[in-house]
Structure formats: C-alpha cells, structure tokens
Amino acid sequence: MNSVNSRLSDACGGLRLRTAGFILDSSSTELGFKRKKNHHIWVSILSLFLWGIVGITATVGFTPTALALEYNKEILVEADFSGRDLTDSSFTKANLRQSNFSRANLNGVSFFAANLESANLEGSDLRNATLDSARLVRANLTNALLEGAFAANARFDGAIIDGADFTDTLLRPDEQKKLCKLAKGTNPITGRDTRDTLFCP
C-alpha cells in the first residue's frame, strides 16, 4: 500500500514539476513576447522622431531661395519678368526695352547702363538696386520702391513715378528737379509721399 502511495506521490510530484515547468516556460515566453513588443514600440517611436527631424530639416534648413541670375548684355526686348523674385540678379548693359517687371522683387539687382526704356516697373521692389547710367525714359515706376537705390546718371525723362518711393535714392540734382515736376501720389507700402522722398520744394 505504501509503495502504491509512494508511486502516486512520485507521479503527482512529476506532474507538478512538469506543470510548474510549463508555467515557467509559458511565463518566460510571455516575458519574451512583452520584451519584443516593447522593443517594437521603442523602435517605432525613434523612427517617428527621426523622420520628424528629417522633415523639419528639409523644410527649414533647405528652404529654396531665389537664385541670382545673370542677363548681362542680353537683348531682352519685351521680356516678361512680372512677379518674379530676381533678388541680386544682374542685367548690366542689357536691352530691356518695353520689358515687364511689374510686382517683381528686384532687391539689390544691377541695372547698370541697362536700357529700360518704356519698361513696366509698376509695384516693383527696387530697394538697393543699381540703376547707375540706366535709361528709364518713359518707364512706368508707379508705386515702385526705390529706397536706397543708386541711380546716379540714370535718365528718367517722361517716366511715370506716381506713388514711387525714392527715399535715400542717389540721384543727380538735375534729374531730381525733373522728377519733382512729375512727382505725385503716395506709396501704398511705405505710406510716404513721392514728393517728400525726393525732397521736392
């Protein structure tokens, strides 16, 4: 009887051990599964974080800027540059007769000795532009910004300058007098009277 009990006890003990082993195995498997799951979550978070950095860098660090272009000595009669960003570009000695630069960004552009006869520069930004020796005869400079432009020896015969801003523009005294005869209006961006910016009496 004792031997039967002993065998039953051994069998039950083995079963308990095997059951405990199964519990141990299943808990270690579950622990491994949790670790893998946590690993995948962290990999996903890091991946999203890195993609976010790449996206921000691409947007902020590599913002496309206007390229300075060179059109020196080119014949661009009736060319259309309206609304373009031409910052720091060069049109030195170019023939730009009857060309259209309306509402263009011409900040820092060189029009040295360029022919801008009858050109449309309405609403253009010519701040800090070089207009020295340029021919602006009958050019339309309505509401143009010429603040800080260098326009020594430039010719403005018959130009339309209604609302143009000539603040700190370098002009020959005789050209300044001619412009004062034509000057009227107020610049819509700066709110300055054209006559005031030309120091007209």
Side-chain angles (χ1 to χ4, degrees):
M1 185 76 177
N2 283 340
S3 64
V4 171
N5 284 342
S6 171
R7 279 186 203 140
L8 276 170
S9 173
D10 287 344
C12 287
L15 186 63
R16 262 190 238 111
L17 277 173
R18 278 197 292 276
T19 307
F22 173 76
I23 290 165
L24 197 64
D25 284 347
S26 68
S27 66
S28 65
T29 305
E30 194 176 326
L31 188 64
F33 177 74
K34 279 183 181 174
R35 280 184 184 159
K36 280 183 182 174
K37 191 175 178 183
N38 285 341
H39 176 74
H40 285 300
I41 289 167
W42 278 110
V43 166
S44 298
I45 290 168
L46 282 171
S47 175
L48 284 168
F49 180 72
L50 288 171
W51 276 112
I53 289 172
V54 169
I56 290 166
T57 305
T59 306
V60 176
F62 300 103
T63 304
T65 53
L67 293 173
L69 303 169
E70 283 196 13
Y71 296 98
N72 300 334
K73 297 182 180 178
E74 289 194 27
I75 297 169
L76 297 161
V77 176
E78 297 181 352
D80 187 4
F81 292 99
S82 58
R84 296 257 312 263
D85 187 350
L86 297 161
T87 305
D88 296 326
S89 294
S90 182
F91 292 87
T92 297
K93 296 182 179 178
N95 186 352
L96 299 159
R97 193 166 44 83
Q98 296 180 337
S99 54
N100 185 1
F101 287 97
S102 59
R103 299 174 312 283
N105 184 355
L106 305 170
N107 202 315
V109 167
S110 173
F111 285 113
F112 176 78
N115 181 6
L116 287 156
E117 185 180 343
S118 300
N120 183 2
L121 294 151
E122 185 175 353
S124 61
D125 183 351
L126 285 156
R127 286 176 295 179
N128 304 308
T130 300
L131 298 164
D132 187 30
S133 301
R135 183 177 163 80
L136 290 142
V137 176
R138 292 187 298 280
N140 182 359
L141 289 157
T142 303
N143 297 330
L145 280 172
L146 293 109
E147 189 173 351
F150 183 74
N153 298 318
R155 290 187 56 207
F156 292 92
D157 301 85
I160 302 164
I161 60 166
D162 300 1
D165 187 338
F166 287 90
T167 302
D168 298 328
T169 300
L170 184 63
L171 294 161
R172 268 186 9 202
D174 59 327
E175 284 298 318
Q176 185 181 5
K177 283 178 186 174
K178 280 185 199 172
L179 290 171
C180 279
K181 289 177 183 175
L182 306 167
K184 61 180 178 179
T186 303
N187 188 275
I189 295 169
T190 64
R192 298 175 188 140
D193 288 342
T194 301
R195 293 185 64 80
D196 292 344
T197 64
L198 284 165
F199 297 105
C200 298

